Amino acid sequence: MAFPRLEHVGIVVGDLAAAKAFFAELGLEVEGEMTIEGPAVDRITGVAGGRSEVAMLRTPDGHGALELIRYLAPAGPDGDPGAPANTPGIRHILFEVQDIEDVLHRLRPHGAELVGELVQYEDSFRLCYVRGPEGIIVELAERVG
């Protein structure tokens, strides 16, 4: 059996515009935006009376996407935007980039902050974690050698 393709990862955010701007700066392209609600959506998500704004952003190579979701109703519980990298749950997503220092420079005006340090890992990558909008941890990887 072939492994199914990973289509997208959904991330719930409070500020959809800020999250879109952050990921657009990384090079993702807005593929579409919509408002989603209705009985079928309620049954799928298990959120009664759910109404959300959704933006789908696709990677430039077309192989993956992020679904950014802002719930308009009902209000959900607050998360911990400062949760450390070892907290259970989906904790980070990785993007391979070119010129990691330039990417860091461009992300800082969008609220990105280094979680640790930019480090050369063996002879393969320069790596770092940055915390972006809503506390999302994004790992940046620049291939070396």
Side-chain angles (χ1 to χ4, degrees):
M1 177 167 87
F3 183 77
R5 179 175 67 95
L6 175 63
E7 162 56 28
H8 72 265
V9 174
I11 302 174
V12 176
V13 299
D15 186 338
L16 188 58
K20 282 190 317 186
F22 179 88
F23 288 107
E25 191 63 51
L26 270 171
L28 278 74
E29 301 161 356
V30 176
E31 188 173 70
E33 297 184 56
M34 66 197 88
T35 300
I36 297 178
E37 62 184 324
V41 175
D42 292 358
R43 290 183 16 235
I44 292 166
T45 63
V47 177
R51 183 168 192 264
S52 59
E53 297 174 328
V54 174
M56 192 65 85
L57 287 82
R58 183 129 336 250
T59 57
D61 66 5
H63 294 294
L66 291 180
E67 178 184 34
L68 301 176
I69 309 156
R70 178 178 172 259
Y71 273 87
L72 304 170
D78 288 335
D80 180 0
N86 63 347
T87 302
I90 295 176
R91 198 50 48 215
H92 78 275
I93 56 177
L94 181 144
F95 292 98
E96 186 174 333
V97 300
Q98 294 179 355
D99 195 351
I100 198 166
E101 281 144 355
D102 178 62
V103 172
L104 286 168
H105 176 74
R106 290 186 292 112
L107 290 178
R108 282 193 176 103
H110 296 279
E113 298 178 3
L114 279 171
V115 172
E117 300 174 37
L118 174 59
V119 173
Q120 170 111 11
Y121 182 75
E122 299 178 349
D123 293 328
S124 57
F125 288 96
R126 295 180 71 209
L127 301 166
C128 66
Y129 278 10
V130 296
R131 194 174 296 276
E134 314 293 328
I136 300 164
I137 296 175
V138 174
E139 183 175 4
L140 301 175
E142 178 182 14
R143 195 175 298 271
V144 295

